[in-house]
Amino acid sequence: MRTVVRTLMAGFLALAGPVLAAPAAAAHVQEAQQSARTDSASSHQLTISIDALNPSFATPSSTVTVSGTVTNDTGSPLQGIQVQLLTEDQDFLARSQMDSYAAGSNSVMSPLPIGTPYVVPGTVRSGSTVRWSASFSAAAAYYGATFGVYPLEAQAESAGGTPLAAERTFLPFWPGNDSADPLSTAWLWPLIDEPQQGPCPQTLATNSLAASLRTGGRLDTLLAVGEQWAQQDELTWVVDPALLSDAQLTAQRHFVGGNATCTGAPVSPASAAAASWLAALRTGTAGEPVVVTPYADADVAALTRAGLDANVRTAYQLGESVARKILNRPFGMAGNGPGDGGSAALAWPAGGTADASLLTSLATNGGISTVVLNSGEMTSTDAPYDNALAATTTGTGTEMGVLLADSELTSVLGSASAGAPAGAQFAAEQDFVAQTAMIAAEAPYQKRSLVLAPPQRWDPPAAEAERLLSLTSSLPWLHPVGLSSLASAADDLKARQPLAGSQVDTAELGSGYLSEVRSVDSSLALYTDLLYQPSASMLQTLDAAAVGTESSAWRGAGGAAGSLALTKLADYLRYWEQKVQILAGTKLLLGGASGPAPISVQNAGQLPVQVGVEVIVPPGSGLSVANPHALIVVPAGKTGTVTMTMYSSGIGTTTLQLQLVTKNGLPLTWRGASQSLSVEATHYGRALLVLIAAALGALVLTSMARWIRRWRNDGRVHGRSGGAG
C-alpha cells in the first residue's frame, strides 16, 4: 500500500514540483544556506550550524547525536541560549520535497521537539562561537518501520523558548536489512587537469601541476583516497592522458613559461612528488578499470559542432597512444572495454551533456559504445523513479548505451571544495547520504542502478572524499559495482528515446575561439608538410600542443588560459615558418638562348625542411624553364641552392615569380617565401662567338699571307746570292 502511495505522490510531485517547491540542486541549496548565515552575521543576528551527525542514518536502536556551533553576532552578550532538535514522523515522498525543505519551505507537518535541549553554559560574548551537542533516541522519534528520509532541524532558542536561528539537515531511517533492494552503485573517479604542454619541447606553461601532485595537493588527494577504496567500491578511474604526459615531464628537469621562440623559459628542477605520483598511479591502477579521455579532455562536443571531426580522431588516437606508453597497458581500439583498461568503449563528455550528432562523432571517431551523461539529459527507464541505465540512438540511427549520472548528486559532490568550512563539508556528506537513501526509498523493491560522477576537475577535501567512499560501501541501501557491468547492461537495452538533434551546451568552446583553432590547424598542417622527415616525437609534440588548445578546461573561466595557449602555438608556427626564405637576386642576365639560374633557399630554423621552388612564367613571354618544380632539402641553419635552366626564344626582359611550396605543392605564404625575378635575354653570346671566330679567321689569314710573302722574299735573296758566285 505504501509503495502505491509513494508512486502516486512521486508522480504528482514530479509534475507539480516546480510550482510547489521550485527545487534547486542540493549544492545550490548549501550555497544559499551558507550565504544566509553570512548575511545573518553581517546583520547582527545569532546563527547556528550543524557540522556532525553520528550515525549518519538512524536505526530502531540507535541514539543520534547532532553537533555544531552557535555564533553570536548580535552585538550584545547572550545568556541562557539553548539548542533544541526537531523532527517529524512523516518522511519525504520525493527528492523535490527535500529540496524545498532545505531551501527553507515548510515541511509536510509541523516539526516536533525531540530529545533534551542543549543549554549553552555561561554567557556567549558578541563575536564569539561556541560548540553544542544534543542527542535523541530514534525509537522516541516515532519513525516506525518505514525506510525513508526524515527532516531534522537544530533550533537555537532564547532562555524563554523564543526561536532565534535554525539549521536544517536530513536523517535517513533504516528499519532493517530487508527494507530495500540496494542500488547497484558505480563511481567514476576523475584524474583530469589543465593541459600544460605547448609546442616547445620539455616546457610547461606553468608549474601549478607540481603543487597539485605533492602530498595534500588536489591530484595527490584523489589518487591516495581512490587507491584506498578502489577495490572495495569498484572505482572506475577516468584519466586524462595529457595529465600523464605533463606529470612525466614535471618529474624531469624542465622549462616553465618562455615565449613562442622557445627561449626565455627558466629551468625548473625535477619534481620527486611527480615521479612518486606517477609510480603510485601505475601501481594503484594495475588491473583496475581505467578509462582514458581524449587527449587533454578535448571538448568533443564543440569540435563536432564546428565540423572538426579530424581533431576528435586525433585527440582520441593521441590520448590512447600516450596512455598506453606511460601506463604500459592496452587502451583504445586494442583494448576490450573499461573492464580491462580499454578506453574505446566508454566516453564521459565534458559537462555530461550530448546530442545525437555528438554521439555519432564519439562512435565514429572514438569507437564509443557507451556514454555517461547527466541524468537530466534523458528520462529514466523507470520514470518517475531514478535509474542510471538507458539507451538511445546516434545521429545515424545506431544504438548506444547510456549511463545517467545523477545530476543532483554531482552538484552535491562538488558543493564543498578543499578549504571549505566544516559545516559545508558535513552538508555535502549528509546530503549524499540522504539523496541516495531517497532514491532507494522511492521504489525500495525495484532493482535499479546509480552512477556517481563528481565534477571532472573535482577538488574535494581528503576527509570528505574518504568519507564519501566509505559511505558507499557501508550504507545498506547502496551496493558498489563496476561501471563496466552497468555499461554492459545499458548496451543490451533497446533504445526508447533519442537525444535532441542539436543541443548546445552554453559552456562549451565558442565559435569565435574555434575559428582561431581552425586557422592554427591550417598553419600546423603547412608547417608539418614543410619539415623533412620529422621524428615521431616531434609530430606528437605538435599534435599535443594543438589538441591542448581544444581542451574542455578552457570552458568558462579557463578561456583566458586557452586563448594564451592558442596564441603561443600560432606565434610559434609563424616564427619558425618564416625562417625559410628565398635568397636570390632581383635580376638575371641571359646572354644566350639558354642558361643556368641558381636559386638559393635559406633555412634559419632548427629542423631540416624540404621545399619546392616553383618558377611561374607569364604566358607568351618566350621564356621557358626546364624544371619549374624542383625540390630541395635544406638542413637546419643552412642554405641550399637549386639550379634551373632557362630558355629564351627572343630578346627582351621577362619578370618571373619564384614561389616556395611544400613537397605536396602547398604555397608558403609568408614574406620571403616568394620573390620576383627579372630575366633579360640579349642573345649577345652567339653574336660574340661569330665575331670572335671572324676575328680569329682574319688573324689566321693575315698570318699566312705574311708567311708566304716572307718565304718568297727569302727565296729571291738566296737566288741572287748564288748567281754572283
Side-chain angles (χ1 to χ4, degrees):
M1 185 65 182
R2 178 177 175 80
T3 302
V4 174
V5 172
R6 280 186 175 277
T7 303
L8 294 174
M9 288 298 296
F12 170 75
L13 289 170
L15 296 173
V19 177
L20 297 178
H28 296 164
V29 170
Q30 294 302 326
E31 292 172 4
Q33 291 173 341
Q34 187 68 31
S35 176
R37 288 193 287 271
T38 302
D39 293 342
S40 296
S42 63
S43 59
H44 308 292
Q45 294 184 10
L46 190 77
T47 57
I48 184 171
S49 72
I50 301 173
D51 58 24
L53 181 62
N54 186 30
S56 57
F57 66 93
T59 62
S61 60
S62 63
T63 296
V64 180
T65 300
V66 189
S67 57
T69 61
V70 171
T71 301
N72 179 13
D73 284 303
T74 63
S76 303
L78 297 174
Q79 290 183 326
I81 299 299
Q82 64 181 19
V83 178
Q84 175 66 61
L85 299 178
L86 302 97
T87 187
E88 297 180 5
D89 60 2
Q90 174 64 56
D91 61 329
F92 296 104
L93 295 177
R95 297 171 77 185
S96 58
Q97 247 189 332
M98 294 172 61
D99 292 337
S100 178
Y101 172 77
S105 300
N106 291 331
S107 53
V108 178
M109 298 176 65
S110 298
L112 303 172
I114 187 73
T116 303
Y118 174 85
V119 179
V120 178
T123 300
V124 182
R125 296 188 305 273
S126 179
S128 64
T129 298
V130 296
R131 291 202 61 80
W132 61 269
S133 180
S135 302
F136 68 93
S137 167
Y142 303 105
Y143 291 150
T146 302
F147 170 45
V149 180
Y150 293 80
L152 182 61
E153 183 174 312
Q155 184 171 274
E157 303 173 347
S158 68
T162 303
L164 301 175
E167 176 78 315
R168 290 176 169 182
T169 187
F170 307 106
L171 180 64
F173 178 69
W174 179 257
N177 292 333
D178 58 350
S179 299
D181 284 335
L183 298 168
S184 296
T185 305
W187 271 95
L188 285 84
W189 201 254
L191 297 176
I192 302 173
D193 201 60
E194 293 183 357
Q196 293 289 336
Q197 293 185 66
C200 299
Q202 299 296 113
T203 303
L204 298 175
T206 72
N207 225 3
S208 61
L209 184 59
S212 185
L213 298 176
R214 285 197 290 267
T215 302
R218 183 182 78 86
L219 291 166
D220 175 75
T221 294
L222 289 171
L223 177 58
V225 176
E227 279 183 309
Q228 182 181 352
W229 293 92
Q231 292 187 3
Q232 191 166 346
D233 284 344
E234 299 196 43
L235 301 185
T236 294
W237 300 86
V238 182
V239 181
D240 177 6
L243 171 59
L244 301 178
S245 180
D246 292 346
Q248 188 176 63
L249 181 53
T250 304
Q252 307 167 18
R253 185 174 177 270
H254 57 278
F255 302 96
V256 178
N259 53 38
T261 66
C262 300
T263 59
V267 177
S268 185
S271 167
S276 298
W277 187 88
L278 266 179
L281 177 64
R282 292 189 187 99
T283 303
T285 61
E288 298 293 328
V290 177
V291 171
V292 297
T293 70
Y295 191 87
D297 192 30
D299 195 339
V300 176
L303 294 174
T304 300
R305 201 173 313 285
L308 297 172
D309 292 282
N311 299 51
V312 176
R313 283 193 296 275
T314 298
Y316 267 105
Q317 292 167 359
L318 178 61
E320 291 157 4
S321 173
V322 169
R324 188 182 308 121
K325 181 178 180 181
I326 295 178
L327 294 182
N328 192 29
R329 58 188 293 178
F331 288 104
M333 301 301 182
N336 296 317
D340 69 349
S343 66
L346 189 142
W348 183 18
T353 61
D355 56 20
S357 61
L358 173 57
L359 298 187
T360 302
S361 176
L362 291 172
T364 304
N365 301 307
I368 302 301
S369 61
T370 309
V371 63
V372 178
L373 302 178
N374 290 336
S375 57
E377 293 293 284
M378 293 180 64
T379 303
S380 166
T381 54
D382 291 310
Y385 306 121
D386 298 286
N387 192 356
L389 303 184
T392 188
T393 54
T394 69
T396 58
T398 59
E399 294 191 355
M400 179 174 285
V402 179
L403 297 179
L404 297 174
D406 192 276
S407 302
E408 195 160 353
L409 284 171
T410 297
S411 296
V412 168
L413 295 175
S415 63
S417 59
Q425 294 185 39
F426 162 77
E429 295 166 12
Q430 194 60 24
D431 278 359
F432 174 85
V433 174
Q435 294 284 350
T436 56
M438 188 70 247
I439 294 171
E442 285 176 339
Y445 300 110
Q446 190 166 328
K447 292 188 178 298
R448 289 172 296 140
S449 302
L450 176 66
V451 170
L452 300 172
Q456 286 158 317
R457 290 170 182 83
W458 195 25
D459 185 16
E464 180 183 328
E466 185 172 351
R467 173 73 171 153
L468 291 167
L469 290 183
S470 68
L471 287 169
T472 304
S473 56
S474 62
L475 294 175
W477 53 87
L478 298 182
H479 172 62
V481 297
L483 192 71
S484 60
S485 65
L486 299 188
S488 297
D491 289 344
D492 291 338
L493 292 177
K494 184 70 177 176
R496 299 193 344 183
Q497 56 176 311
L499 290 174
S502 178
Q503 178 175 305
V504 180
D505 187 333
T506 56
E508 70 186 40
L509 300 179
S511 58
Y513 184 90
L514 291 175
S515 177
E516 296 180 38
V517 167
R518 195 187 301 273
S519 176
V520 171
D521 281 350
S522 298
S523 183
L524 178 59
L526 188 68
Y527 182 63
T528 53
D529 202 20
L530 181 66
L531 298 178
Y532 178 67
Q533 296 181 348
S535 65
S537 62
M538 181 62 190
L539 293 177
Q540 179 171 297
T541 295
L542 293 173
D543 281 343
V547 178
T549 67
E550 302 158 5
S551 172
S552 62
W554 312 139
R555 289 182 169 195
S563 294
L564 183 62
L566 192 61
T567 299
K568 188 170 183 177
L569 177 57
D571 290 346
Y572 170 92
L573 294 171
R574 188 180 304 112
Y575 178 81
W576 292 111
E577 285 171 347
Q578 294 180 1
K579 293 295 183 181
V580 181
Q581 297 189 350
I582 292 177
L583 294 181
T586 59
K587 190 171 184 179
L588 176 68
L589 182 64
L590 189 64
S594 65
I599 300 172
S600 296
V601 178
Q602 181 188 55
N603 175 19
Q606 297 179 322
L607 297 171
V609 299
Q610 183 176 33
V611 293
V613 180
E614 184 174 318
V615 181
I616 303 171
V617 181
S621 65
L623 198 68
S624 62
V625 182
N627 51 340
H629 303 287
L631 281 176
I632 180 173
V633 175
V634 187
K638 301 292 184 180
T639 298
T641 302
V642 59
T643 300
M644 296 185 170
T645 302
M646 296 189 179
Y647 298 90
S648 175
S649 60
I651 298 175
T653 301
T654 303
T655 300
L656 309 178
Q657 190 70 27
L658 305 179
Q659 174 69 57
L660 292 182
V661 298
T662 67
K663 59 180 176 291
N664 293 321
L666 294 175
L668 308 184
T669 57
W670 52 87
R671 184 181 179 89
S674 62
Q675 183 177 313
S676 297
L677 177 64
S678 178
V679 179
E680 183 178 359
T682 62
H683 287 203
Y684 288 158
R686 183 182 300 172
L688 185 60
L689 289 175
V690 172
L691 290 175
I692 292 173
L696 288 174
L699 179 62
V700 169
L701 292 175
T702 301
S703 298
M704 290 182 64
R706 288 178 178 176
W707 181 81
I708 292 172
R709 285 198 299 270
R710 183 178 299 170
W711 178 77
R712 288 177 177 176
N713 290 336
D714 289 345
R716 293 192 191 99
V717 171
H718 290 305
R720 286 195 297 270
S721 299

